[in-house]
Amino acid sequence: EAGVAQSPRYKIIEKRQSVAFWCNPISGHATLYWYQQILGQGPKLLIQFQNNGVVDDSQLPKDRFSAERLKGVDSTLKIQPAKLEDSAVYLCASSLGASISGANVLTFGAGSRLTVL
Amino acid sequence: TQLLEQSPQFLSIQEGENLTVYCNSSSVFSSLQWYRQEPGEGPVLLVTVVTGGEVKKLKRLTFQFGDARKDSSLHITAAQPGDTGLYLCAGDPAGNKLTFGGGTRVLVKP
C-alpha cells in the first residue's frame, strides 16, 4: 500500500512569512495526526483528526497555527506568521485505529522540514 | 518534564558491542511502542509491548515492558552500523493520544 505522502519536503522562509504543509494519509485511515519534531527531540503532537473532526488540538499554538482536514482525507497545516522557534520537521501520521492489542499503530510520512530565518 | 524520559540521550558504540536504551515514566501505560527514525525519514514502528513483564524479540533487538507497565527497555545485541538511528518510545496513558519520549540517538561505528 502507498505510504503517507507529505509535501513540500523542505521549506525555507523568513520570520513573519506564512507556510503551508500538505498531507495525504494512507487510504482508509480515519485518524490523522500532525506532529512537530524540533531537532534533537521527540515528536510533539500538534493536532489529531478523526475523519474531518478535531479530536485533540490542545498543544496547537492557535494564534499562529491552523489545520484542516476537509472531506476527511487530505490535510493541511498552516503557520502564519512564522517565528524562528517554528523551525522543525512537521510529521504527518495516520492510523486505522486501535489494533488487536489495543494500541494505536501510526504510520508516518517522511516529514516536511521547515527553516525559519 | 516529559511524560516519557529516555536515557541515555546519545550512545556511540563500536560494531559488535551491545547496548541498552531505557524509557521511564511515573505513569502506567496500557502499552508502549518503540520506533526507529533514520535521518530524513519519519519514525517506523518496531514493536508494541502490552503485558507487564512481556519480552519481545526482533532479530537482535530485545524489548521488555516493566512489570508495573511504567517503563521499558530496548537491548541490541552485537550492534551493526545499520542499527544507527533515533530510537523513540511512545505511549498512550489516557485515551487516543500517543506521546513520545525525547529519543535516544544511537551511532554504531564500523
Side-chain angles (χ1 to χ4, degrees), chain A residues 38-104:
Chain A
I38 292 172
L39 188 63
Q41 299 181 17
K44 181 185 87 171
L45 180 67
L46 293 175
I47 189 167
Q48 177 180 337
F49 292 95
Q50 180 75 19
N51 296 309
N52 61 346
V54 175
V55 174
D56 187 330
D57 64 356
S58 57
Q59 297 192 91
L60 186 75
K62 298 180 186 64
D63 57 333
R64 298 182 301 103
F65 286 64
S66 64
E68 60 182 10
R69 190 183 183 197
L70 299 176
K71 300 180 182 177
V73 182
D74 293 5
S75 178
T76 55
L77 175 71
K78 296 179 181 177
I79 307 174
Q80 181 178 16
K83 291 186 174 181
L84 295 177
E85 59 261 37
D86 298 332
S87 293
V89 174
Y90 291 86
L91 294 163
C92 179
S94 68
S95 73
L96 196 55
S99 65
I100 294 173
S101 67
N104 213 14

Side-chain angles (χ1 to χ4, degrees), chain A residues 9 35 37 42 48 56 104 109, chain B residues 33 37 40 42 96-98 101:
Chain A
R9 287 297 310 274
Y35 282 83
Q37 186 174 27
Q48 177 180 337
D56 187 330
N104 213 14
Chain B
Q33 299 177 355
Q37 185 177 22
N96 203 18
K97 179 179 171 180
L98 197 65

Side-chain angles (χ1 to χ4, degrees), chain A residues 9-10 31 33 35 37 39-45 48 50 55-56 58-59 89 91 95 98-99 101-111 113, chain B residues 2 6 9 30-33 35 37-45 48-50 56 86 88-90 92 95-103 105:
Chain A
R9 287 297 310 274
Y10 306 93
T31 310
Y33 312 78
Y35 282 83
Q37 186 174 27
L39 188 63
Q41 299 181 17
K44 181 185 87 171
L45 180 67
Q48 177 180 337
Q50 180 75 19
V55 174
D56 187 330
S58 57
Q59 297 192 91
V89 174
L91 294 163
S95 73
S99 65
S101 67
N104 213 14
V105 178
L106 274 61
T107 302
F108 283 86
R113 181 178 295 277
Chain B
Q2 286 200 302
Q6 288 190 239
Q9 288 186 302
S30 57
S31 64
L32 276 178
Q33 299 177 355
Y35 290 77
Q37 185 177 22
E38 298 187 21
E41 301 295 328
V44 175
L45 180 69
T48 301
V49 285
V50 179
K56 278 191 174 178
L86 179 68
L88 296 157
C89 66
D92 183 4
N96 203 18
K97 179 179 171 180
L98 197 65
T99 301
F100 284 83
R105 192 165 299 279

Side-chain angles (χ1 to χ4, degrees), chain B residues 16-37:
Chain B
E17 293 182 339
N18 301 333
L19 69 98
T20 302
V21 175
Y22 299 93
C23 175
N24 295 292
S25 177
S26 57
S27 298
V28 176
F29 291 86
S30 57
S31 64
L32 276 178
Q33 299 177 355
W34 284 93
Y35 290 77
R36 180 169 66 208
Q37 185 177 22

Side-chain angles (χ1 to χ4, degrees), chain B residues 43-104:
Chain B
V44 175
L45 180 69
L46 295 174
V47 77
T48 301
V49 285
V50 179
T51 307
E54 180 178 6
V55 175
K56 278 191 174 178
K57 292 193 174 184
L58 187 66
K59 297 183 180 177
R60 295 174 293 99
L61 278 61
T62 301
F63 303 86
Q64 186 160 9
F65 200 11
D67 291 340
R69 306 206 317 276
K70 292 183 179 181
D71 56 85
S72 182
S73 64
L74 157 60
H75 182 79
I76 302 179
T77 304
Q80 299 178 1
D83 296 325
T84 292
L86 179 68
Y87 288 83
L88 296 157
C89 66
D92 183 4
N96 203 18
K97 179 179 171 180
L98 197 65
T99 301
F100 284 83
T104 294

